[in-house]
């Protein structure tokens, strides 16, 4: 089993009628702003453990489980709306860093949230790190009728139980699933991560700690014009980190490419791009030491 170097503690914070689970490493340090880590789709805050362990300096680190992931419940909902993540983060920062700016790191979906939040609340972000938060393919208005129809069809599938996540007989099965998805994840890390990524149910099976409603297509189109306008308002120095294994062609089948993402980043006033070799999309699992060193160098005081 992976041996943790920095122990975390769990807190539950009332946020917008939800009991938000937040994982905390360290304690507040005078004259040091918090480091906030937000995870991606179908992931959990504990996923950052390997990277936090690799940090050379002690930091006060705050990492929430997004609504409907990990130990943060979401009530009786059947779909999720992206603006809620921004509002949840806003409330969380008011709780943990009132009147203070923070260093913000986001992975994948969390990277997309972090980029948008940094443009909407630029005064709250000191430095911004986006780990493979590429955004979505551009859309056009003619797609709206089919998108709304697909959303309603998937809601029916969800309520019919057709979108439920698979349960595993053992926690070792969950670990094997993680390793299958990411071949670079070794057994020691997978065995540690599995009980954080899933939980035991009444039948003794292990269920992924993610609400299946997250699989429902968003009814609203991805408005690239709005995204780029928000990017223009980011004032924090921004680091965009990419893995050597580009997954975008596999995900989007030519609908959206890395070159287009790079074009979008030109809207951000102060941005630099860094690459990590021998890593896939879960680069905080694949190369936590290299990633931690990259982030710490970027976050050094001005």
């Amino acid at each position: 089993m992976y041996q943790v170097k920095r122990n975390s503690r769990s807190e539950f914070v009332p946020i917008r009628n939800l009991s938000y689970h937040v994982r905390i490493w360290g304690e507040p340090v005078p004259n040091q702003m918090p480091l906030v880590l937000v995870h991606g789709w179908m992931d959990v805050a504990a996923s950052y453990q390997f990277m936090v362990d690799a940090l050379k300096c002690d930091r006060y680190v705050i990492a929430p489980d997004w609504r409907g992931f990990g130990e943060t419940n979401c009530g009786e909902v059947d779909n999720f709306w992206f603006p809620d993540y921004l509002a949840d983060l806003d409330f969380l920062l008011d709780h943990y860093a009132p009147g203070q700016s923070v260093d913000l790191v986001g992975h994948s979906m969390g990277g997309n949230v972090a980029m948008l939040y940094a443009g909407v609340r630029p005064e709250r972000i000191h430095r911004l790190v986006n780990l493979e938060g590429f955004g979505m393919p551009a859309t056009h208005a003619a797609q709206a009728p089919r998108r709304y129809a697909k959303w309603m069809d998937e809601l029916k599938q969800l309520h019919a139980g057709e979108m439920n996540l698979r349960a595993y007989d053992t926690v070792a099965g969950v670990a094997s699933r993680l390793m299958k998805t990411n071949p670079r994840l070794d057994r020691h890390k997978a065995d540690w991560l599995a009980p954080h990524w899933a939980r035991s149910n009444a039948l003794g099976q292990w269920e992924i700690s993610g609400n299946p409603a997250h699989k429902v297509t968003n009814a609203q189109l991805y408005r690239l014009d709005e995204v780029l306008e928000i990017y223009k308002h980011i004032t924090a120095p921004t680091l965009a980190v990419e893995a050597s294994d580009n997954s975008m062609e596999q995900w989007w089948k030519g609908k959206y490419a890395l070159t287009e993402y790079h074009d979008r980043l030109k809207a951000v006033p102060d941005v630099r791009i860094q690459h990590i070799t021998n890593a896939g999309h879960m680069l905080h699992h694949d190369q936590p030491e290299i990633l931690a060193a990259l982030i710490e160098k970027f976050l050094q005081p001005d």
Side-chain angles (χ1 to χ4, degrees):
M1 182 76 75
Y2 175 81
Q3 295 299 311
V4 169
K5 297 176 183 177
R6 286 185 168 92
N7 290 316
S8 67
R9 64 184 184 276
S10 288
E11 296 181 357
F12 288 87
V13 182
I15 299 291
R16 302 182 59 215
N17 300 319
L18 298 177
S19 180
Y20 239 85
H21 175 247
V22 183
R23 192 166 295 275
I24 306 289
W25 290 268
E27 301 292 340
V29 177
N31 301 318
Q32 183 193 82
M33 63 192 61
L35 173 59
V36 179
L37 311 176
V38 291
H39 67 79
W41 189 80
M42 286 297 165
D43 204 359
V44 292
S47 188
Y48 280 110
Q49 180 69 54
F50 316 127
M51 191 193 81
V52 172
D53 280 343
L55 295 173
K56 299 300 183 183
C57 299
D58 290 333
R59 289 291 299 256
Y60 177 47
V61 182
I62 301 164
D65 284 338
W66 289 124
R67 56 172 59 214
F69 291 118
E71 297 184 52
T72 300
N73 206 336
C74 58
E76 299 297 324
V77 302
D78 61 4
N79 65 134
F80 292 86
W81 298 88
F82 210 81
D84 278 325
Y85 300 119
L86 275 71
D88 291 351
L89 180 58
D90 202 45
F91 276 69
L92 281 162
L93 295 189
D94 284 349
H95 177 83
Y96 284 104
Q100 182 183 7
S101 60
V102 303
D103 291 326
L104 179 62
V105 177
H107 173 249
S108 195
M109 183 193 83
N112 296 328
V113 176
M115 293 286 285
L116 295 176
Y117 184 82
V120 174
R121 297 281 201 212
E123 71 280 2
R124 302 304 306 272
I125 307 303
H126 173 250
R127 291 194 177 240
L128 173 66
V129 181
N130 177 8
L131 309 177
E132 297 231 320
F134 300 122
M136 305 283 284
T139 60
H140 50 88
Q143 295 173 264
R146 297 185 91 186
R147 175 67 71 90
Y148 279 109
K150 183 178 182 182
W151 173 65
M152 291 185 288
D153 289 343
E154 290 185 357
L155 287 176
K156 292 177 182 178
Q157 294 171 24
L158 178 74
H159 284 278
E162 298 172 9
M163 301 182 78
N164 289 345
L165 302 176
R166 175 188 169 186
Y168 296 82
D169 291 334
T170 64
V171 69
V174 177
S176 296
R177 167 69 172 79
L178 289 168
M179 294 171 67
K180 182 179 180 180
T181 302
N182 181 10
R184 288 186 176 87
L185 185 67
D186 65 45
R187 171 60 69 172
H188 299 296
K189 289 180 180 176
D191 284 343
W192 183 88
L193 187 58
H196 296 280
W197 203 66
R199 53 177 170 257
S200 180
N201 64 20
L203 300 176
Q205 296 177 312
W206 286 80
E207 297 178 340
I208 305 304
S209 298
N211 191 301
H214 285 291
K215 296 169 67 176
V216 175
T217 298
N218 197 311
Q220 291 184 321
L221 298 176
Y222 185 80
R223 293 289 304 273
L224 182 57
D225 55 345
E226 293 181 0
V227 171
L228 294 179
E229 194 61 35
I230 291 172
Y231 280 7
K232 293 176 184 177
H233 287 77
I234 296 174
T235 57
T238 302
L239 176 66
V241 184
E242 299 172 8
S244 57
D245 289 5
N246 175 19
S247 302
M248 292 184 70
E249 289 300 322
Q250 175 186 344
W251 294 340
W252 300 117
K253 310 297 183 186
K255 296 179 182 178
Y256 181 34
L258 195 61
T259 53
E260 186 177 349
Y261 166 64
H262 290 161
D263 284 340
R264 296 179 186 184
L265 286 180
K266 294 175 183 177
V268 181
D270 181 2
V271 64
R272 65 211 74 176
I273 300 173
Q274 293 280 353
H275 298 87
I276 294 182
T277 59
N278 192 25
H281 185 59
M282 303 298 284
L283 38 72
H284 51 311
H285 295 171
D286 299 346
Q287 297 290 353
E289 293 83 8
I290 294 174
L291 178 61
L294 197 64
I295 290 175
E296 284 194 301
K297 182 178 180 180
F298 177 70
L299 298 183
Q300 285 177 350
D302 298 326

